[in-house]
Amino acid sequence: SPLIGKSILVPLLVLVSFGLLGMRDDLEGVRGKRQDGQGMLAKFKASYQFILALGTSAGMYFFLGLHSVAVPGIADKVNIGLIYIPIAMFVIIAESNAVNLTDGLDGLAGSTSAIAFLAYGVIAYLQGQYPLMSFCFTMVGALFAFLWYNAHPADLFMGDTGSLALGATLAVVALMTGQWLLLPIVGLVFVAEALSDVLQVGYFKWTKRHTGKGKRIFRMAPLHHHFELSGIKENYVTLIFWLIQAIACTIGVFLA
């Protein structure tokens, strides 16, 4: 519809706004008042993410009329009403943080994000959302250009400026297609990275509380560091994860 065509501004605004948030975090990590190099305090960073996600979700609901979900195997999208807003917020915040956690090896976040945007570009094409398709394919081209400098050994690093923006934008694209239930499949690597970090921290705290000594599930979290410490070279880990992402994206497009 014409409205969907104009709504291409939504992922663009999300890309810029989350990029600026990530830039502030990166700058504070380099020359901020904190001496640990960790950037913004987690509570402030989370607050900004919440506000941006709330504004984006409300905008998609009230101004774009997006309030449904596509369920694989069901022809018509399912209207979920106002609950769409908190769900959309969760999707945006979770995906931005998941891609952020994935950004730990040369070329990893960039390559996996590129294939995910390619998948949603195909889905947008199948739906006739050609402006959104063009946006997705433009993101793919930009990411491959970035990977020329970010591939191992990297000359340029993404940082939170790129990873937060890519994750949030990918989530918005998924929400605009209505196929956001497929995001855990299309973004399988991102889910695995985030889940490994949650499990690692949770299990460590639980065992420390009950045994007095914290234990770990993985050698190190997020997941890519576990494989690194297992003796697999960095560029091989990136290649394996990219191939897994490519297979998962193919399945996601097929389900769509």
Side-chain angles (χ1 to χ4, degrees):
S1 68
L3 183 60
I4 292 297
K6 294 177 182 178
S7 68
I8 200 67
L9 291 173
V10 176
L12 282 172
L13 288 172
V14 169
L15 183 70
V16 172
S17 59
F18 274 83
L20 290 173
L21 173 60
M23 183 185 296
R24 178 178 175 181
D25 189 34
D26 288 335
L27 286 173
E28 289 198 15
V30 174
R31 58 186 185 186
K33 296 179 180 179
R34 298 174 66 191
Q35 300 299 314
D36 55 4
Q38 296 299 310
M40 296 174 64
L41 288 170
K43 61 180 180 180
F44 291 133
K45 185 176 177 181
S47 297
Y48 285 122
Q49 284 181 301
F50 180 89
I51 293 169
L52 291 174
L54 175 59
T56 303
S57 302
M60 288 192 293
Y61 181 86
F62 290 108
F63 299 109
L64 300 183
L66 297 175
H67 44 67
S68 60
V69 56
V71 181
I74 299 178
D76 297 324
K77 292 181 179 179
V78 179
N79 188 346
I80 58 175
L82 270 172
I83 197 175
Y84 178 89
I85 293 177
I87 291 176
M89 289 176 61
F90 172 79
V91 172
I92 293 169
I93 294 171
E95 193 65 19
S96 65
N97 287 319
V99 176
N100 184 228
L101 288 170
T102 306
D103 183 33
L105 298 180
D106 293 347
L108 179 57
S111 61
T112 49
S113 294
I115 196 70
F117 274 107
L118 178 62
Y120 272 109
V122 173
I123 292 172
Y125 168 77
L126 294 173
Q127 295 180 342
Q129 294 198 51
Y130 301 121
L132 186 60
M133 175 201 72
S134 300
F135 175 84
C136 290
F137 289 162
T138 300
M139 290 295 296
V140 173
L143 283 166
F144 275 122
F146 169 74
L147 286 169
W148 182 263
Y149 301 97
N150 184 241
H152 183 75
D155 297 316
L156 187 65
F157 299 98
M158 181 179 292
D160 283 20
T161 304
S163 58
L164 287 179
L166 287 174
T169 306
L170 179 62
V172 167
V173 167
L175 289 161
M176 288 178 66
T177 63
Q179 295 284 3
W180 45 269
L181 283 181
L182 296 177
L183 190 55
I185 298 175
V186 173
L188 180 62
V189 167
F190 308 136
V191 174
E193 294 274 29
L195 190 59
S196 68
D197 198 61
V198 171
L199 288 174
Q200 184 87 322
V201 174
Y203 185 70
F204 182 85
K205 289 182 177 179
W206 186 82
T207 52
K208 188 172 183 179
R209 185 183 303 116
H210 289 82
T211 66
K213 183 178 181 181
K215 297 181 181 179
R216 293 175 173 84
I217 300 173
F218 306 101
R219 293 175 185 267
M220 187 177 179
L223 192 58
H224 56 264
H225 290 313
H226 169 79
F227 289 105
E228 265 196 302
L229 294 177
S230 298
I232 304 176
K233 293 182 179 179
E234 178 178 341
N235 53 330
Y236 287 132
V237 174
T238 299
L239 178 60
I240 292 168
F241 276 38
W242 186 85
L243 289 173
I244 292 172
Q245 184 88 325
I247 294 170
C249 285
T250 303
I251 296 172
V253 172
F254 174 78
L255 291 173

